[in-house]
Amino acid sequence: MAIIEQLQEDGRRPYAAIGKAVGLSEAAVRQRVQKLLDQGVMQIVAVTDPLTVGFRRQAMVGINVEGDLDPVADALTEMPEVEYVVVTAGSFDLLAEIVCEDDDHLLEMINKRIRTLPGVRSTESFVYLKLKKQTYMWGTR
């Protein structure tokens, strides 16, 4: 957990520095990081502000499905515009966050790609007007 916390502070922190902070050798840190990556426990990625790299429209899409949720959820996960998909209990069966270049791209995603998936009964879109907070620092609490 201490290694993960170190990497969340700075994903480019050298293994030697992490080792010093957590009381392990550089080799031990390298080995443990690789194991965490291989097991899918974590990813080391660059997080961008979508607006600054040309994605001017984000939305959360609530989706209601008839029948089995898995095929729809799986199809959504294959779409590059979809950032994450969650199965929910409540008003929607699935929630999908999508990142698009503009409103036309958002319309194409919802109307032509999501609503046409077999099993999708209805969608409701929540367009983001302003992103106030986005962090990935929940760490290992």
Side-chain angles (χ1 to χ4, degrees):
M1 287 191 222
I3 292 171
I4 293 170
E5 289 170 354
Q6 290 287 311
L7 288 169
Q8 283 187 314
E9 287 177 19
D10 180 357
R12 298 184 312 163
R13 182 167 287 157
Y15 291 149
I18 295 170
K20 186 174 182 181
V22 303
L24 292 171
S25 70
E26 179 180 350
V29 171
R30 180 180 292 106
Q31 201 171 45
R32 291 180 188 196
V33 167
Q34 191 59 53
K35 185 176 178 182
L36 291 167
L37 294 169
D38 291 346
Q39 292 176 340
V41 172
M42 68 176 193
Q43 299 175 2
I44 300 173
V45 299
V47 177
T48 61
D49 175 355
L51 288 174
T52 63
V53 292
F55 298 103
R56 308 218 32 93
R57 180 58 68 215
Q58 291 180 271
M60 181 67 64
V61 180
I63 303 163
N64 285 308
V65 176
E66 292 178 349
D68 189 0
L69 302 175
D70 286 333
V72 176
D74 292 343
L76 290 167
T77 65
E78 296 299 318
M79 297 178 186
E81 295 90 348
V82 176
E83 291 298 308
Y84 72 83
V85 177
V86 291
V87 177
T88 64
S91 300
F92 300 103
D93 298 314
L94 302 168
L95 290 174
E97 183 179 46
I98 58 178
V99 178
C100 297
E101 295 168 10
D102 53 30
D103 287 336
D104 288 335
H105 187 192
L106 176 63
L107 178 60
E108 187 263 329
M109 281 296 301
I110 294 167
N111 196 42
K112 304 278 190 218
R113 299 191 46 211
I114 294 174
R115 287 184 177 162
T116 60
L117 290 172
V120 171
R121 184 176 54 216
S122 64
T123 65
E124 184 173 346
S125 303
F126 303 89
V127 174
Y128 297 3
L129 298 176
K130 186 174 191 173
L131 184 62
K132 295 293 278 187
K133 180 180 180 181
Q134 178 176 332
T135 67
Y136 299 93
M137 298 301 293
W138 55 83
T140 58
R141 287 187 268 183

